[in-house]
Amino acid sequence: MAYVFFGYFAGVIALTAVLVVALRNPVYSALALLVMFFHVAGLYITLHAEFLFAVQLMVYAGAILIFYLFAVMFLTEKTPDRYHMQSWGSLLIGGAIIVEIAVLVGQHGVSFGSTVERTALSSPSEEGNTEAIGHLLYTSYLFPFEVASLILLVAMIGAIVLSKKDLSESPPS
Amino acid sequence: MSVPIHYYLILSAFMFLTGLVGVLVRRNIIVILLCIELMLNATNINFVAFAEYLHDLGGQIFVFFTLTVAAAEVGVGLAIVVAIHRSKDTINVEEFNLLKW
């Protein structure tokens, strides 16, 4: 069973990695990279790294890729007209997702209260992945953690300075 | 019955090579940055696979530092791209010949 999951995730990752390089349109490359990020997160689940799964989805697929899509749409010169001709495919996929959400809510919406009660009663028996990572990050790896925050601060200031227009020519007021 | 570790290493090496070829052959600078993200994800898979097979969480901790570097690279890199696009009005790396003579 583990081989089936690994084969699926590895196959999709390899295919989308090739698509990122091979596709002409940068928007399609970014969307192929989005699919690859999701399947790398699935691979983290099979490797028992549940906290990294959530971090991968939030940081890579949520923040970094949106940033890339913004840059692609901001910097490419002209938008091709065929973006406006794909509404039927997106309508099909969006309709399927809406039907799926409706089915899930219809099945589990009734038993929501009992689910909350059951999870409240169960006590955490052993230390999970998130607790272990947090404990290790704040004891053994405390100094690299602080250095990482310093790197983020430097990157933030650098991005602000680089993207500010004619910083040196502005008169001191 | 778990998957042996060299399967993960082969997948990671394939992803890294794909990203490296993309950096070398593509001319759009945004796609080059996307291929760098591809290579960073390949190293992340390696870290997590070794953390699982050596039963050491240090590999998963290092993924956070890779993530930090990736986020910093995206912020500074895209700021540089926007600044270059403002001055030269292109994002093709063939036309970035400011340091050539």
Side-chain angles (χ1 to χ4, degrees):
Chain A
M1 198 63 189
Y3 281 94
V4 176
F5 280 113
F6 176 79
Y8 167 69
F9 288 130
V12 177
I13 285 172
L15 181 68
T16 49
V18 172
L19 282 182
V20 168
V21 179
L23 285 176
R24 282 281 162 207
N25 198 332
V27 178
Y28 293 161
S29 288
L31 291 181
L33 198 71
L34 176 68
V35 177
M36 199 203 76
F37 283 158
F38 275 111
H39 285 83
V40 169
L43 206 61
Y44 288 166
I45 284 287
T46 68
L47 284 169
H48 306 290
E50 290 89 3
F51 186 57
L52 282 181
F53 160 78
V55 169
Q56 172 91 9
L57 283 192
M58 281 190 286
V59 176
Y60 267 118
I64 290 181
L65 207 85
I66 297 300
F67 205 2
Y68 274 117
L69 280 177
F70 161 72
V72 167
M73 291 174 179
F74 186 62
L75 293 181
T76 46
E77 287 83 11
K78 54 180 175 59
T79 320
D81 289 333
R82 64 166 185 264
Y83 284 149
H84 305 291
M85 298 170 65
Q86 293 173 343
S87 59
W88 284 109
S90 57
L91 198 66
L92 197 67
I93 296 175
I97 291 175
I98 286 177
V99 167
E100 186 179 350
I101 290 174
V103 167
L104 282 178
V105 167
Q107 279 184 352
H108 298 281
V110 185
S111 64
F112 183 69
S114 64
T115 309
V116 171
E117 193 177 357
R118 192 166 64 240
T119 52
L121 281 179
S122 70
S123 63
S125 57
E126 60 179 9
E127 194 182 39
N129 180 253
T130 309
E131 288 86 356
I133 282 183
H135 185 73
L136 204 58
L137 198 60
Y138 282 106
T139 53
S140 303
Y141 292 89
L142 183 61
F143 181 66
F145 183 67
E146 298 293 335
V147 173
S149 67
L150 189 68
I151 288 175
L152 283 179
L153 178 68
V154 169
M156 190 169 68
I157 296 174
I160 290 172
V161 170
L162 277 173
S163 58
K164 195 163 167 53
K165 201 177 288 184
D166 50 14
L167 189 69
S168 57
E169 300 168 3
S170 62
S173 59
Chain B
M1 190 66 190
S2 63
V3 182
I5 190 171
H6 58 265
Y7 283 25
Y8 290 99
L9 298 190
I10 290 170
L11 171 69
S12 170
F14 179 75
M15 278 173 69
F16 193 89
L17 279 180
T18 311
L20 192 63
V21 169
V23 168
L24 292 178
V25 303
R26 292 303 298 261
R27 291 188 177 82
N28 192 331
I29 192 165
I30 296 176
V31 181
I32 288 177
L33 287 175
L34 286 179
C35 292
I36 292 175
E37 295 294 328
L38 202 70
M39 287 156 49
L40 288 173
N41 260 276
T43 59
N44 281 351
I45 288 179
N46 249 354
F47 274 132
V48 178
F50 274 112
E52 166 74 14
Y53 280 88
L54 298 180
H55 300 289
D56 185 4
L57 271 181
Q60 297 191 15
I61 301 286
F62 263 82
V63 175
F64 282 97
F65 302 138
T66 312
L67 207 70
T68 308
V69 173
E73 173 240 330
V74 169
V76 178
L78 286 181
I80 290 175
V81 169
V82 168
I84 287 178
H85 182 265
R86 189 182 294 142
S87 69
K88 290 186 74 76
D89 206 20
T90 179
I91 51 172
N92 192 340
V93 293
E94 296 286 327
E95 302 178 26
F96 295 163
N97 49 9
L98 194 66
L99 293 181
K100 289 181 184 174
W101 59 283

